[in-house]
Amino acid sequence: MFNVVRKEMQWGNAKLVLETGKIARQADGAVKVTYGETVVLCTAVGAKQPRPDVDFFPLTVNYQEKAFAAGKIPGGFFKREGRPSEKETLVSRLIDRPIRPLFHPQYRNDTQIVCTVLSHDMENDPDIVSMIGTSAALTISGLPFLGPIGAARVGYKDGEYLLNPSSEAIKEGDLDLVVAGTRDGVMMVESEASELSEEIMLGAVKFGHEQFQSVLDLIIDLAEEAAKEPRDVAELPEGYDALVEKIAGLGTEGLTAAYANVVKQERSAAVSAAKAAIVEKLGDEVPDELKGKVSSIIKDLEKDIVRGAILKTGKRIDGRTGADVRPILGEVSVLPRSHGSSLFTRGETQALAVVTLGTGQDEQIVDALDGEYRESFMLHYNFPPYSVGEAGRMGSPGRREIGHGKLAWRALHPLMPGKDAFPYTTRIVSEVTESNGSSSMATVCASSLAMMDAGVPLARPVAGIAMGLIKEEEDFAVLSDIMGDEDHLGDMDFKVAGTENGITSLQMDIKITSVTPEIMQIALKQARDGRLHILGEMAKALPEARGEVSGNAPTITQFSIPKDKIRDVIGSGGKVIREICEETGAKVDIEDDGSITVAHTDGAKGKQAVDWIKSIVAEPELNHIYDGKVVKAVDFGAFVNFFGARDGLVHISELAPERVKQVSDIVKEGDQVKVKVIGFDDRGKIKLSMKRVDQETGADLEAGEAE
């Protein structure tokens, strides 16, 4: 019934198994990948016919985690998986980025990759498994994919690189790096690091590339037995080459002149006019079968003009050399009521970052496949259409916004102080108000300044820079601080963020088949020079974090109480803690170990809540005088609440210096009195006295007598 093909090998600390022919047989390619006890089903399907009149490759990647993979039932009302989580969106992008450049350039068929996590062993992250499975599914599918690719996760601890470390090992180490590529070179890198040097980062990339070579061999072995016949890709229509030459003749001069404008708005207008002139000159001479190719031919002509000029002259569109960074201006405290804010402008790219400080109650609860956890550091990136001078739809964040926000988060996360040193929940919102190249790196710079403005004790400022590459055969140029046009028309998007001490995040995407370690080494060195320059410009606005948090932020007090006192602070059904919060307006968090955090925007109210809690858990001291309230009068004395929830008995003989016939002659319920602790009985009950205290002044009469 099934024609199963199975290949396996030992890879790192677990066995890697590729299997096809049993599940999802109607897909063009379907591979079940097992690594350890993590299992992912990866499928690839391409439409039979190309999409008409499109000049791009319509590829969709969907990575989905099923709760049953971890033996869980989804939370929420509907009890089924819903919209993609942040993790699912990020992994979908992770899979997409290295495979997209490897499809045949003329392939225009709708293509969908679906990776479904079927089992998760809590040790081996399904993202690497999904990337390998996608590569295998595409390789056997018959689709025009120029792979396969391999992928690996690399950790670094105690001077050694680790292959596919567990989640726990990643937390304990200094690096979390994912690398993917072909036999010849690297296609994609995504990482977070603890201020590591360029040499260590480059070594990690090389290590990962070496380690997944055996995975490529395994995929090829599978394909030799299971691959389908390759599909034919539609050939270019007759007359295509002649049309290319004609458009080059009509438009080269105009587009060259248009790209000579150094100001983005003027350049964009001139380029649009030059393109319109080409179309107008062509008129109705273009055959119907070639009309859909005109825009892509003009785009290729633009690419040749811009790239050729850079390689020949060393000058870029805006007149800079390869290593030049555009003018930078950093400003802080730009918003009066925010806890911290900054405006970072680099050339025609600008980000407004705003920091809000909250308490433990503001932490984000993440229900992940490997368990629920709380996140106290959040960074949200927004890219409104006006930032590029366009009118467009605005709604929930897309994949690009989530991806760019996570990249900036990774760059800053290694420098964030621990909860012990800084008990706040920190949320950053980056509004990209202008964009012409690397708004994600502008977000890193703006967010660093805004946090320092808010008084977040960052160990060091963080800056980021985007690098580009123009490569024609053996000739190449590495570009610092790339603009939007250089990103679209170049061969590499290489983003590096970090401090003066080292790299905290590195992301690389390649649009050609691969990039060599030599080019990466040059790019990393040039990026370091650019990063240090940007840090110097940022220091002009604010060199280090302010000594205290903003006055608009809540004041947080932390202290501990004995575990056996937690119940007293919370009270029956939460009555006591609720009363404290309602009376003072404070936010109170109580941990199982007795740690208490009290937050309030009003310092006096916060202190009142702290004193209230401490009075509940503290023990009354012998011979101390306290203010109290009579809560009950009985024949033999009065019960007085004097120490939080503590009551004590004032015996009738201790009510007044003279003999008292009836308790009601001296006190009644509700009276405010002053009492002295005079002893504790065998059962721990507290003995109080009123007659030994001056009820007017609160003076200790016994102390006066002793003197």
Side-chain angles (χ1 to χ4, degrees):
M1 184 175 181
F2 301 115
N3 183 20
V4 178
V5 179
R6 176 187 172 96
K7 301 292 179 181
E8 64 179 62
M9 70 173 190
Q10 186 69 27
W11 189 44
N13 297 321
K15 183 184 291 185
L16 176 66
V17 182
L18 307 181
E19 182 183 291
T20 187
K22 188 173 184 179
I23 302 177
R25 290 172 294 163
Q26 295 183 50
D28 290 322
V31 177
K32 186 183 77 171
V33 188
T34 304
Y35 189 59
E37 292 185 349
T38 294
V39 182
V40 182
L41 174 64
C42 300
T43 62
V45 175
K48 305 306 179 192
Q49 298 297 324
R51 189 192 289 187
D53 302 325
V54 297
D55 60 353
F56 63 92
F57 172 36
L59 171 67
T60 304
V61 177
N62 297 104
Y63 166 87
Q64 51 187 5
E65 295 180 336
K66 299 298 184 181
F68 61 71
K72 298 169 62 177
I73 294 175
F77 181 78
F78 292 105
K79 296 300 176 187
R80 69 174 295 161
E81 291 81 4
R83 60 179 293 181
S85 66
E86 182 182 89
K87 167 79 180 291
E88 289 172 312
T89 299
L90 293 170
V91 176
S92 295
R93 283 171 53 89
L94 203 64
I95 298 167
D96 182 303
R97 284 157 47 196
I99 64 173
R100 185 178 289 271
L102 294 178
F103 281 85
H104 192 286
Q106 299 305 319
Y107 183 59
R108 294 290 184 268
N109 302 38
D110 278 303
T111 302
Q112 185 177 36
I113 308 296
V114 179
C115 299
T116 307
V117 181
L118 304 179
S119 176
H120 186 14
D121 61 9
M122 306 300 169
E123 290 186 6
N124 300 294
D125 198 309
D127 56 2
I128 296 296
V129 182
S130 299
M131 296 173 77
I132 293 170
T134 297
S135 174
L138 285 170
T139 302
I140 68 172
S141 67
L143 300 179
F145 175 66
L146 308 177
I149 66 160
R153 170 169 271 107
V154 180
Y156 184 76
K157 184 179 180 182
D158 299 330
E160 292 186 2
Y161 295 114
L162 310 174
L163 175 63
N164 296 331
S166 66
S167 302
E168 197 62 36
I170 286 290
K171 292 176 184 177
E172 295 173 357
D174 298 319
L175 176 67
D176 180 7
L177 181 142
V178 174
V179 57
T182 62
R183 182 82 71 193
D184 298 327
V186 175
M187 296 292 300
M188 187 274 298
V189 177
E190 184 82 42
S191 65
E192 179 183 334
S194 300
E195 297 182 280
L196 297 180
S197 69
E198 282 73 12
E199 292 75 20
I200 292 174
M201 294 298 288
L202 183 58
V205 174
K206 290 180 179 178
F207 176 81
H209 184 253
E210 292 167 359
Q211 294 298 319
F212 67 60
Q213 296 303 310
S214 56
V215 175
L216 296 175
D217 293 334
L218 193 71
I219 294 173
I220 292 170
D221 286 347
L222 181 78
E224 286 176 348
E225 294 185 38
K228 297 179 180 178
E229 287 297 316
R231 285 195 196 181
D232 292 328
V233 179
E235 294 184 3
L236 292 170
E238 187 177 346
Y240 180 84
D241 292 338
L243 181 61
V244 171
E245 289 185 16
K246 186 168 186 177
I247 289 176
L250 293 173
T252 299
E253 185 177 345
L255 284 170
T256 302
Y259 273 106
N261 286 281
V262 296
V263 179
K264 179 187 176 183
Q265 290 86 343
E266 295 176 4
R267 182 170 62 251
S268 297
V271 168
S272 297
K275 290 179 180 178
I278 294 172
V279 174
E280 185 179 349
K281 290 174 185 177
L282 286 172
D284 297 328
E285 298 178 17
V286 181
D288 291 342
E289 63 270 19
L290 286 173
K291 285 183 178 178
K293 303 293 183 182
V294 170
S295 63
S296 62
I297 293 173
I298 294 175
K299 185 176 179 180
D300 288 341
L301 178 60
E302 286 183 83
K303 192 173 182 180
D304 291 340
I305 290 170
V306 173
R307 293 162 62 91
I310 292 173
L311 290 174
K312 288 176 185 175
T313 66
K315 291 289 185 182
R316 298 155 68 178
I317 299 171
D318 58 356
R320 286 183 291 151
T321 64
D324 288 344
V325 177
R326 288 170 291 177
I328 290 171
L329 178 63
E331 303 170 68
V332 295
S333 301
V334 295
L335 299 176
R337 292 292 298 171
S338 66
H339 300 164
S341 60
S342 76
L343 185 67
F344 179 84
T345 307
R346 187 192 61 239
E348 294 159 318
T349 296
Q350 186 181 76
L352 172 67
V354 185
V355 171
T356 306
L357 301 177
T359 68
Q361 296 179 22
D362 299 308
E363 290 179 339
Q364 183 178 17
I365 302 173
V366 181
D367 187 14
L369 203 59
D370 51 359
E372 184 179 287
Y373 66 93
R374 291 176 173 266
E375 183 55 67
S376 61
F377 174 46
M378 295 163 278
L379 193 154
H380 298 141
Y381 165 102
N382 297 313
F383 192 89
Y386 67 75
S387 65
V388 288
E390 296 177 357
R393 185 186 68 85
M394 294 184 68
S396 56
R399 287 188 172 191
R400 180 181 180 278
E401 289 177 299
I402 292 172
H404 279 38
K406 191 63 175 181
L407 172 59
W409 183 93
R410 287 193 183 103
L412 294 159
H413 183 246
L415 275 299
M416 289 297 293
K419 291 291 287 183
D420 293 340
F422 192 70
Y424 290 88
T425 294
T426 305
R427 181 191 183 222
I428 306 171
V429 177
S430 172
E431 297 287 339
V432 178
T433 50
E434 296 180 21
S435 180
N436 183 16
S438 194
S439 54
S440 62
M441 294 296 96
T443 291
V444 171
C445 301
S447 299
S448 176
L449 285 172
M451 282 201 290
M452 293 192 297
D453 183 48
V456 178
L458 287 182
R460 280 165 293 282
V462 185
I465 187 170
M467 311 296 293
L469 174 70
I470 304 293
K471 188 174 187 295
E472 296 289 347
E473 296 180 355
E474 298 303 316
D475 198 8
F476 69 89
V478 175
L479 311 178
S480 295
D481 181 25
I482 55 174
M483 298 184 298
D485 288 333
E486 292 170 336
D487 186 5
H488 301 319
L489 303 176
D491 297 320
M492 177 179 75
D493 184 10
F494 190 79
K495 296 172 181 174
V496 186
T499 68
E500 61 183 5
N501 290 358
I503 294 172
T504 57
S505 181
L506 187 153
Q507 184 187 84
M508 183 179 75
D509 292 303
I510 301 298
K511 301 172 188 176
I512 51 179
T513 54
S514 64
V515 66
T516 64
E518 291 73 24
I519 292 177
M520 283 188 63
Q521 188 170 13
I522 293 171
L524 281 169
K525 182 182 182 305
Q526 201 164 307
R528 173 175 169 77
D529 294 339
R531 184 174 80 246
L532 294 177
H533 167 71
I534 295 170
L535 285 169
E537 295 299 301
M538 289 168 57
K540 295 177 181 177
L542 190 63
E544 59 185 17
R546 300 194 189 281
E548 55 186 24
V549 297
S550 164
N552 297 327
T555 300
I556 292 183
T557 303
Q558 288 184 307
F559 57 98
S560 295
I561 63 172
K563 289 183 182 180
D564 58 354
K565 298 291 185 181
I566 295 176
R567 182 171 48 187
D568 298 333
V569 175
I570 295 175
S572 177
K575 178 182 177 182
V576 176
I577 193 67
R578 191 162 54 247
E579 182 183 0
I580 294 172
C581 293
E582 289 173 356
E583 184 75 23
T584 65
K587 289 184 177 181
V588 181
D589 294 326
I590 304 176
E591 302 295 336
D592 292 340
D593 63 355
S595 300
I596 293 186
T597 302
V598 178
H600 206 299
T601 52
D602 184 332
K605 288 284 187 181
K607 184 177 185 303
Q608 180 185 349
V610 170
D611 292 343
W612 193 335
I613 294 170
K614 287 182 175 180
S615 71
I616 294 172
V617 300
E619 295 292 337
E621 296 182 36
L622 187 65
N623 295 324
H624 258 59
I625 294 172
Y626 300 94
D627 290 322
K629 179 181 178 182
V630 178
V631 293
K632 190 176 182 181
V634 293
D635 292 341
F636 53 83
F639 288 97
V640 176
N641 173 242
F642 71 103
F643 196 80
R646 292 295 190 89
D647 293 344
L649 174 66
V650 181
H651 191 268
I652 190 171
S653 63
E654 292 291 337
L655 285 173
E658 65 276 6
R659 186 173 181 276
V660 178
K661 292 183 178 181
Q662 289 187 335
V663 172
S664 58
D665 293 341
I666 306 298
V667 294
K668 58 182 179 298
E669 289 184 18
D671 283 355
Q672 299 291 330
V673 297
K674 300 182 187 301
V675 293
K676 179 179 180 179
V677 178
I678 57 174
F680 306 91
D681 66 15
D682 296 339
R683 294 175 298 171
K685 302 294 184 181
I686 303 166
K687 300 177 183 179
L688 303 174
S689 172
M690 286 175 54
K691 74 178 184 181
R692 308 185 196 197
V693 183
D694 187 321
Q695 294 297 311
E696 293 292 329
T697 65
D700 187 341
L701 297 178
E702 284 187 325
E705 291 173 3
E707 290 176 4

